[in-house]
Amino acid sequence: MNSSEFRKAAHSAIDESKFPPSANRRVVSNVEPGYLRQLLPSGPPDEGEKWEDIQKDIEAKIMPGLTHWQHPDFMAFFPSNATYPSMLGELYSAAFTAPAFNWLCSPVVTELETVVLDWIAALLHLPDCFLSQGEGGGVLQGSASEAIVTVMVAARERYLKAACEKLEETELEDKINRIRGRLVALGSEQSHSSTAKAAIIAGVRYKSIPTNLEDDLALTGEGLQAALDECVRDGLVPFYLTATLGTTATCATDRFSEINNVMKKAQLFPEIWIHVDAAYAGSALICEEYQHLTKDFAAFDSFNFNMHKWLLTNFDASCLFIRKRHDLTSALSVTRSYFRNTFSDTGLVTDYRDWQIPLGRRFRSLKIWFVLRTYGVNGLKAHIRRHIAMGEKFAGWVAERPDLFRIPTPPVFALTVLTLALPEESKHPIPNGTTEIEVIEGLSTSNNLPATSSAQLEHSNALTKTVYETINSAGQIFLTSGVVKGVYAIRVVSANERADEMHLRKAFEILVTTSEAVMAEERKSREVGAAVEQIFEPGSI
């Protein structure tokens, strides 16, 4: 393909683009596993094909296997937004392709990333210690999970270095080996699974800290202190903690001030690295009404959120901010002779290969730069606030139908969770217990969710699951569900740029219609069962 052929193909690709997806398309793919192998030949062609022939297969073979995350009726998981400015950034990045593992590879790849991440840190009201002008700075990672692995390795190495200071050779190695087996990473039971997975990769233990319903499932200072005391009792050495702003389950926010106070009182800074995982909800910090949440962050070591979830930048664009970049680079820097150059050796430039696990990296900052300039700060704020308002409105509609639904937790960050109500339910609190996240996304319960017996809870769970599965099998909208504390619930979050009140109203009406049908069928079944029991009562025959 030469340049003129590329130009023609590129125009054709844009003209035939499936973005945004048509509202007439089914949101979630309904192909069977292995569908594609049956459509493709056993190997690549011996001779090259014309672009026109290749492009035909997009609709025929690729589109059927896509779940359309940009569809306004996609209300599952968390959003993964894409926009035209962001896609243009990806186009330029592909044209400028460079591994960019150090400054010299392409100076602008490094320097634009540094600048735009400083912009973002300021927009989110992060403390100045996370800016590149001081000892900290930002770096783009592929995902929040990747960021957690990266900082956990840095935390481990920082702890071992401090604990083994002044030791050498065999004595140093022996002490490191003794400590490594006792190192434990901490996270609440509501923390994303990536923390537990990072502990596996880092070769350390993981301890989950229980949360309570009366605390809205947030990690509290009391809960953290209890976990630290248990570690001392068991001879374990805590070196890392994930605190969360907006848990996957219910968007709960951990109590940062209490965590900070516990750490100060126990004099555990800087022994324990505290990382704030704000993968989804961190985008809301661009709005002033949420910026009070950052007031304790200056005491913490790192913060991460995904622009590719809610801030109109396509995957992947995960922003990691470090309070002291030396903690990261000293753990991850391996300099071979072929990496050396005058600029890096003098320390005048940043080499982001030392801030991440991979060596090479893409020009991700370009699409962020395009998005920031196209929408502006006010446009991004309006985007977030619109979805939060829509989420509250949706929760209001659900609350107006107490005959059908219960809302386990208050709507927050555009997320609403709901379960089906039963006529015989009464408002007694569910006993507190250990949360076990199952299915696709977890949901917490609250003391607002009525359940007077395990039989009632099982009945409600069965009905809610039937409603969920019926809706998703129809394919008009796409939702996710989950089980926490034994309660099955449906999860609705609409944060797509193209979604509006009309789409949320459609989702609500589908929920109502489906729930009414399921409840009617359930009542009919009960009535038949009662009639049968009456027929066979002693003395009735």
Side-chain angles (χ1 to χ4, degrees):
M1 182 181 283
N2 57 37
S3 61
S4 61
E5 290 171 331
F6 170 73
R7 182 183 297 274
K8 180 181 177 181
H11 278 288
S12 176
I14 292 173
D15 290 340
E16 296 295 323
S17 171
K18 310 302 178 182
F19 181 86
S22 168
N24 296 324
R25 285 192 183 273
R26 181 186 171 91
V27 184
V28 63
S29 172
N30 62 346
V31 299
E32 295 295 326
Y35 90 99
L36 189 58
R37 185 173 292 276
Q38 300 175 33
L39 300 178
L40 296 182
S42 58
D46 292 331
E47 302 297 333
E49 300 179 62
K50 293 182 179 180
W51 170 251
E52 291 80 3
D53 296 329
I54 297 171
Q55 190 174 27
K56 291 174 184 176
D57 281 344
I58 296 294
E59 182 63 40
K61 297 179 173 64
I62 302 302
M63 294 302 291
L66 287 179
T67 290
H68 299 285
W69 287 64
Q70 307 310 312
H71 198 292
D73 292 323
F74 182 99
M75 301 177 188
F77 305 106
F78 281 128
S80 184
N81 283 317
T83 58
Y84 293 118
S86 184
M87 287 188 282
L88 287 172
E90 290 282 24
L91 179 63
Y92 274 105
S93 177
F96 297 153
T97 291
F101 49 83
N102 64 19
W103 180 86
L104 189 60
C105 285
S106 275
V108 71
V109 177
T110 295
E111 298 204 4
L112 185 61
E113 185 164 332
T114 301
V115 170
V116 297
L117 285 173
D118 277 348
W119 285 4
I120 292 167
L123 291 178
L124 301 184
H125 199 61
L126 296 183
D128 289 347
C129 59
F130 290 106
L131 298 175
S132 66
Q133 291 93 328
E135 295 182 81
V139 58
L140 288 169
Q141 304 280 342
S143 67
S145 300
E146 185 180 325
I148 287 175
V149 173
T150 302
V151 297
M152 189 180 290
V153 169
R156 183 194 66 193
E157 295 307 299
R158 184 179 72 176
Y159 184 91
L160 290 172
K161 182 179 179 181
C164 302
E165 194 175 9
K166 297 181 181 179
L167 298 181
E168 295 181 0
E169 298 179 356
T170 303
E171 190 178 7
L172 172 63
E173 186 175 342
D174 288 345
K175 185 167 184 179
I176 287 177
N177 288 335
R178 288 197 303 271
I179 295 175
R180 270 180 181 267
R182 296 162 53 212
L183 290 176
V184 59
L186 306 176
S188 90
E189 62 182 1
Q190 300 300 318
S191 296
H192 192 270
S193 60
S194 55
T195 299
K197 188 172 185 178
I200 295 172
I201 296 171
V204 298
R205 304 188 191 202
Y206 176 68
K207 183 178 180 62
S208 178
I209 305 173
T211 56
N212 298 313
L213 292 170
E214 56 267 28
D215 300 319
D216 297 325
L217 298 175
L219 175 62
T220 65
E222 183 180 358
L224 174 59
Q225 185 62 64
L228 294 173
D229 292 342
E230 289 175 7
C231 288
V232 172
R233 181 197 66 196
D234 298 336
L236 300 177
V237 180
F239 74 101
Y240 170 92
L241 169 69
T242 290
T244 309
L245 195 168
T247 58
T248 303
T250 61
C251 273
T253 295
D254 291 342
R255 297 184 181 175
F256 302 126
S257 293
E258 294 181 16
I259 292 170
N260 189 12
N261 290 337
V262 166
M263 301 297 285
K264 285 180 178 177
K265 185 177 179 180
Q267 296 182 332
L268 290 174
F269 290 125
E271 286 185 28
I272 297 180
W273 182 299
I274 298 182
H275 173 71
V276 178
D277 176 17
Y280 165 66
S283 295
L285 295 177
I286 198 170
C287 300
E288 289 83 357
E289 57 268 32
Y290 293 101
Q291 291 179 354
H292 64 280
L293 295 171
T294 70
K295 67 184 179 66
D296 291 282
F297 287 6
F300 301 158
D301 295 280
S302 52
F303 169 91
N304 172 255
F305 87 110
N306 293 335
M307 281 196 73
H308 62 243
K309 278 192 167 69
W310 204 1
L311 271 188
L312 302 172
T313 306
N314 61 281
F315 188 85
D316 54 353
S318 188
C319 305
L320 171 64
F321 297 91
I322 301 293
R323 183 161 59 99
K324 291 187 176 181
R325 57 181 176 266
H326 175 73
D327 291 335
L328 200 58
T329 58
S330 63
L332 299 177
S333 180
V334 178
T335 302
R336 297 283 189 256
S337 58
Y338 41 80
F339 292 142
R340 302 185 71 93
N341 63 81
T342 302
F343 302 102
S344 297
D345 289 347
T346 57
L348 296 176
V349 298
T350 295
D351 286 342
Y352 278 126
R353 67 182 175 84
D354 298 330
W355 294 51
Q356 62 179 25
I357 294 171
L359 174 65
R361 52 207 330 276
R362 300 190 303 110
F363 198 177
R364 297 187 186 103
S365 60
L366 199 59
K367 60 187 175 185
I368 295 175
W369 190 46
F370 286 2
V371 167
L372 291 174
R373 294 183 64 186
T374 302
Y375 287 89
V377 176
N378 291 334
L380 295 176
K381 289 179 181 179
H383 171 74
I384 298 295
R385 286 171 176 150
R386 183 171 72 89
H387 289 134
I388 290 173
M390 284 167 54
E392 291 171 350
K393 183 168 288 190
F394 179 84
W397 298 335
V398 174
E400 290 172 356
R401 291 301 304 267
D403 57 316
L404 285 179
F405 306 117
R406 297 278 187 262
I407 300 177
T409 55
V412 60
F413 298 120
L415 173 67
T416 301
V417 297
L418 59 95
T419 66
L420 253 67
L422 294 176
E424 64 269 24
E425 287 177 341
S426 58
K427 285 206 169 186
H428 293 300
I430 294 176
N432 195 31
T434 302
T435 300
E436 181 179 356
I437 300 178
E438 301 175 342
V439 193
I440 299 173
E441 294 279 343
L443 291 179
S444 70
T445 63
S446 78
N447 291 341
N448 295 322
L449 184 65
T452 58
S453 70
S454 59
Q456 276 188 321
L457 184 57
E458 185 177 342
H459 190 189
S460 176
N461 284 351
L463 291 177
T464 305
K465 185 177 182 180
T466 299
V467 169
Y468 165 74
E469 292 178 345
T470 301
I471 289 173
N472 273 1
S473 63
Q476 290 183 276
I477 59 175
F478 184 34
L479 309 175
T480 43
S481 67
V483 180
V484 173
K485 295 188 184 295
V487 177
Y488 193 102
I490 296 170
R491 193 173 175 283
V492 182
V493 56
S494 178
N496 185 300
E497 186 184 22
R498 290 161 187 81
D500 55 29
E501 186 176 324
M502 175 187 70
H503 297 99
L504 269 177
R505 189 71 198 182
K506 172 186 172 181
F508 175 69
E509 289 171 357
I510 289 172
L511 276 163
V512 169
T513 302
T514 308
S515 299
E516 287 177 337
V518 168
M519 295 282 270
E521 186 64 27
E522 189 272 341
R523 283 193 297 270
K524 181 179 178 181
S525 178
R526 265 192 310 176
E527 289 169 0
V528 171
V532 171
E533 286 182 8
Q534 188 175 11
I535 291 173
F536 288 99
E537 279 183 3
S540 62
I541 299 179

